[in-house]
Amino acid sequence: MNTAQALPPQNRGSRRLWSNILLYAVVVLLAAAANFFEPDYMAQVPIRIGISAYDSAFAAPILERYSDLIMEKGGGDIIWRYFGEDEDPAGCDFYLMTSIQARDAVDSGMMKISLAGSATDARSHSFGVVIARGGTRLKDLNGGKFIFTSRYSASGFLSPLSALIDQGVDTGPESEDIFFTGCRSCDEKVVYGVLFGRYSAGGISLDRFRKIESLGGFDSGELSVLLTGPSVQEIFLVASAGIERWKEKGFLDRLPSITEGAPPSLKNDLVSIGIAGFIPADENSLEFLDKYFDRTAAGSIHHFP
């Protein structure tokens, strides 16, 4: 006789219940053991970070000093790897990307959002502006030529272009008159391209424009801000989808406080590349792109000078 069939229904149900409880307990114990036996996070653990948001000539000196601080404070031994603007990033634990680059990487399933870079100590978002020569009116821009910092920059392209379109400015048939500087940190090319009359207007982040202005890059009244675009998130730190959990958690737990405690000189340099600090972020942090990206960038994002 089958023993299970011989048991009364209430006993069979009790037996299944205890079997499920035992199975659940085993799963919990295995998970706890996995956490317990994870490797310790050491100050010397190698962390490979791919750089897609910046050109090495512009950012390398700053990031080298930053890596020294991270190592000193127990955040890991940072190894930077720079990727070209059209190069697919791979082989790293984390990546510093613009929001436009990050969305493509996250959508592909290869990476996941970890942290967002704060633009300044006071705010996490950036603003793009449309600049033109002094005395220029909006109607003067119709049919003109426009230059933007980078096709991958939310503040240097997406935000100012959105402002132009919202104001009904004609940016040219099929955006044939939209150009880019050719590098990710060439804000001066936007400023001087407009100043010398090669372009009718330019798109640049407000922070970078004010920085060039403060350094005496042009005389008062020579250039003006015609439009301010919507606020956007510019820089993200994303993690490889295959990163070990202990390494991901250990690094992300340490990096924000290390960055916040950077000495003033390094802090100023980090702010110049849009990293005053880091704040928690997830895929919802990229939602602003859905509002502006497809509507404003179609047909123009692949055009180069």
Side-chain angles (χ1 to χ4, degrees):
M1 176 185 297
N2 189 302
T3 304
Q5 290 177 347
L7 291 173
Q10 62 270 28
N11 288 345
R12 292 200 299 271
S14 176
R15 184 175 181 178
R16 284 196 298 270
L17 174 62
W18 282 107
S19 297
N20 290 338
I21 291 174
L22 180 61
L23 178 61
Y24 178 76
V26 170
V27 171
V28 170
L29 288 173
L30 288 173
N35 287 333
F36 183 79
F37 290 110
E38 280 184 349
D40 291 331
Y41 190 91
M42 300 177 292
Q44 296 81 15
V45 64
I47 301 291
R48 292 176 173 82
I49 302 180
I51 307 297
S52 295
Y54 312 112
D55 293 308
S56 59
F58 173 68
I62 299 171
L63 293 180
E64 286 303 321
R65 292 171 57 210
Y66 189 32
S67 63
D68 290 342
L69 175 70
I70 295 172
M71 178 72 170
E72 177 187 334
K73 299 299 182 180
D77 184 7
I78 306 300
I79 302 167
W80 307 109
R81 181 182 174 189
Y82 292 86
F83 292 90
E85 191 171 72
D86 296 311
E87 187 177 359
D88 291 332
C92 296
D93 302 302
F94 297 93
Y95 301 85
L96 275 172
M97 294 181 157
T98 68
S99 52
I100 294 175
Q101 293 167 330
R103 189 180 78 165
D104 290 341
V106 170
D107 287 349
S108 73
M110 300 296 292
M111 300 176 196
K112 51 187 176 179
I113 295 292
S114 298
L115 299 171
S118 298
T120 70
D121 287 326
R123 54 184 167 81
S124 61
H125 286 70
S126 302
F127 293 86
V129 293
V130 177
I131 61 171
R133 298 179 71 176
T136 301
R137 298 165 299 179
L138 276 179
K139 66 179 183 179
D140 298 330
L141 302 184
N142 287 318
K145 291 184 178 181
F146 304 88
I147 184 169
F148 297 88
T149 302
S150 168
R151 60 177 174 154
Y152 292 115
S153 172
S155 60
F157 172 49
L158 197 58
S159 177
L161 182 60
S162 176
L164 285 169
I165 291 177
D166 285 345
Q167 291 297 317
V169 175
D170 178 11
T171 56
E174 298 182 359
S175 301
E176 292 178 356
D177 293 317
I178 287 181
F179 301 88
F180 299 93
T181 64
C183 73
R184 290 162 290 188
S185 307
C186 296
D187 305 277
E188 290 82 1
K189 287 187 177 182
V190 174
V191 169
Y192 294 120
V194 174
L195 184 62
F196 298 144
R198 183 176 178 186
Y199 303 98
S200 304
I204 186 174
S205 77
L206 178 60
D207 292 330
R208 292 298 298 161
F209 179 69
R210 293 304 183 202
K211 180 69 173 180
I212 295 171
E213 182 181 40
S214 69
L215 294 174
F218 51 91
D219 293 334
S220 177
E222 285 189 307
L223 293 174
S224 64
V225 174
L226 285 184
L227 298 170
T228 299
S231 64
V232 291
Q233 194 80 52
E234 181 70 18
I235 300 297
F236 281 89
L237 181 74
V238 303
S240 169
I243 189 174
E244 299 95 332
R245 196 182 71 86
W246 65 269
K247 181 184 285 190
E248 178 185 17
K249 184 178 185 302
F251 183 68
L252 296 180
D253 284 349
R254 291 162 174 77
L255 187 64
S257 60
I258 292 173
T259 307
E260 183 179 353
S265 60
L266 176 57
K267 188 83 168 185
N268 289 336
D269 285 342
L270 288 173
V271 168
S272 74
I273 61 173
I275 304 177
F278 283 103
I279 58 176
D282 55 27
E283 290 188 30
N284 293 330
S285 303
L286 297 175
E287 286 183 349
F288 73 91
L289 290 171
D290 297 327
K291 183 176 181 180
Y292 303 114
F293 189 83
D294 294 331
R295 178 169 62 86
T296 63
S300 62
I301 198 168
H302 298 297
H303 187 67
F304 289 90

